[in-house]
Amino acid sequence: MPVADPTRAALVARLRAAGCVYAEDEAELLLAAADSPTALADLTDRRVAGEPLEYLLGWAEFAGLRIAVDTGVFVPRARTALLVEVAAEVTGPAPAVVDLCCGSGATTVALAHRLTPRWLAAADIDPAAVACARRNVAGLNAEVYEGDLFAPVPGRWRGRLDLVLANAPYVPTDAVALMPPEARLHEAPVALDGGPDGLSVLRRVGVDAADWLAPGGHLVVEAGTTQVDVLCAAFQAAGLVPTVRQDEDLDATAVIARRA
């Protein structure tokens, strides 16, 4: 039975007062997710208290796909769709692909839909993220490993990968405290903290990718606009050839590094 309009209006007003920018859209999603007035009240209270909407719904939309998201797992951002778009442009047919720092597996699922990989794998150091990603890739021809960057990837693929994608953490440690509460209070710190300048993990990705990529293979990562010059220099020092791609609509920056 549809919820009466006064309930919807009151819900929108409460969400807006709590600082939800897209209060009308969130209200519709919460109404659709709740199967009773009691459930709606619980979801609303949790959202007003600052819990991410995606945790309440159990899913997030990413690149036109619905991705399951468990509590505590990094919520896929719309801007990361740029990585998938760039990967599809630079990668040839039937690539061997690894998606590092995969989180919920959102980018892995999107790559499975955009590419026709001969081998597709993902990895994350967070056990909760790995469990979530495994649920999302169920039914796809993809594997998910638990471990630090390339450490869990089967050694037979060293030097044979055509594409490495990494949405690694790139927020400087001191800036994590300045992130929106939804992120810093609810998402795993390991998915946010990129070290003193935000590039600690990405530097390691570049050094290791130079060893795991096949000649002509590509590394595609996300970074902040102010980090591009330093990151490109690090990738060059690792023996890679970097280029930069930006999307103003998505407010996204991707660094693409090719193994010569």
Side-chain angles (χ1 to χ4, degrees):
M1 179 177 179
V3 179
D5 283 342
T7 300
R8 179 178 283 101
L11 176 56
V12 170
R14 190 175 178 201
L15 292 172
R16 186 176 291 118
C20 299
V21 178
Y22 303 104
E24 291 82 1
D25 295 337
E26 292 196 14
E28 294 298 329
L29 291 169
L30 292 175
L31 286 165
D35 56 9
S36 70
T38 300
L40 178 61
D42 177 63
L43 291 175
T44 303
D45 288 344
R46 291 165 62 189
R47 181 64 185 124
V48 168
E51 192 167 341
L53 177 68
E54 293 80 4
Y55 293 167
L56 304 180
L57 302 176
W59 58 269
E61 182 177 347
F62 177 76
L65 302 166
R66 182 173 288 195
I67 304 295
V69 180
D70 295 333
T71 299
V73 175
F74 183 79
V75 176
R77 274 53 161 178
R79 62 176 174 267
T80 306
L82 178 61
L83 297 190
V84 178
E85 179 182 338
V86 169
E89 292 176 2
V90 302
T91 305
V97 181
V98 166
D99 181 13
L100 300 178
C101 306
C102 69
S104 65
T107 45
T108 311
V109 175
L111 289 171
H113 284 79
R114 290 290 299 270
L115 307 175
T116 54
R118 71 180 185 278
W119 187 69
L120 173 61
D124 200 288
I125 198 171
D126 181 7
V130 170
C132 186
R134 284 175 175 161
R135 282 202 297 132
N136 280 314
V137 305
L140 300 174
N141 187 22
E143 304 173 54
V144 182
Y145 301 103
E146 181 181 333
D148 184 26
L149 302 182
F150 289 97
V153 179
R156 67 181 181 275
W157 290 103
R158 186 183 297 270
R160 298 175 57 201
L161 297 175
D162 301 295
L163 172 67
V164 174
L165 195 81
N167 185 21
Y170 58 90
V171 179
T173 300
D174 290 345
V176 172
L178 305 177
M179 295 184 71
E182 288 183 4
R184 60 181 167 82
L185 297 180
H186 295 277
E187 293 178 318
V190 72
L192 305 175
D193 191 340
D197 67 351
L199 298 177
S200 296
V201 180
L202 283 170
R203 286 190 184 91
R204 293 176 53 216
V205 170
V207 170
D208 292 346
D211 190 38
W212 283 82
L213 285 169
H218 290 82
L219 168 65
V220 182
V221 305
E222 184 175 299
T225 54
T226 61
Q227 299 170 317
V228 166
D229 291 343
V230 174
L231 186 59
C232 285
F235 284 172
Q236 284 180 321
L240 303 172
V241 182
T243 56
V244 178
R245 171 84 169 269
Q246 294 181 316
D247 186 313
E248 293 184 1
D249 293 334
L250 290 174
D251 189 25
T253 299
V255 177
I256 307 99
R258 179 177 58 84
R259 180 183 171 190

